[in-house]
């Protein structure tokens, strides 16, 4: 505890440098086992295209209205 009190930032940075990648390395196999990822890349490309178009829209007020209408008409 004394070391953590004296070297707060250094221990915090070391924790993220060491434990962060170790956590994600084990998390990927866990996600694959549960079939968490999308089965087809075409879905990913379509979602990326929608995100890019949404990011490039200059007037977002009409786009929000379009999304609201779409969500109301969905079953």
């Amino acid at each position: 505890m004394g070391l953590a009190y004296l070297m707060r930032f250094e221990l915090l940075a070391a924790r993220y440098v060491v434990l962060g990648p170790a956590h994600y390395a084990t998390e990927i196999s866990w996600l694959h086992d549960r079939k968490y990822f999308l089965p087809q890349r075409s879905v990913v490309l379509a979602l990326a295209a929608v995100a890019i178009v949404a990011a490039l829209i200059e007037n977002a007020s009409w786009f929000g209205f379009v999304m609201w209408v779409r969500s109301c008409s969905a079953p």
Side-chain angles (χ1 to χ4, degrees), residues 1-12 15:
M1 281 181 20
L3 185 61
Y5 181 77
L6 293 174
M7 300 175 51
R8 289 181 207 134
F9 178 74
E10 290 82 1
L11 287 177
L12 179 70
R15 183 180 72 181

Side-chain angles (χ1 to χ4, degrees), residues 17-52:
V17 167
V18 174
L19 294 179
H23 167 71
Y24 286 112
T26 58
E27 186 78 15
I28 294 295
S29 65
W30 183 83
L31 290 172
H32 276 295
D33 292 343
R34 282 150 186 82
K35 299 184 188 303
Y36 186 77
F37 296 104
L38 293 173
Q40 298 174 347
R41 289 195 184 262
S42 61
V43 175
V44 174
L45 295 175
L47 291 174
V50 168
I52 290 170

Side-chain angles (χ1 to χ4, degrees), residues 53-63:
V53 169
L56 294 176
I57 291 176
E58 292 182 24
N59 186 358
S61 62
W62 71 269
F63 185 70

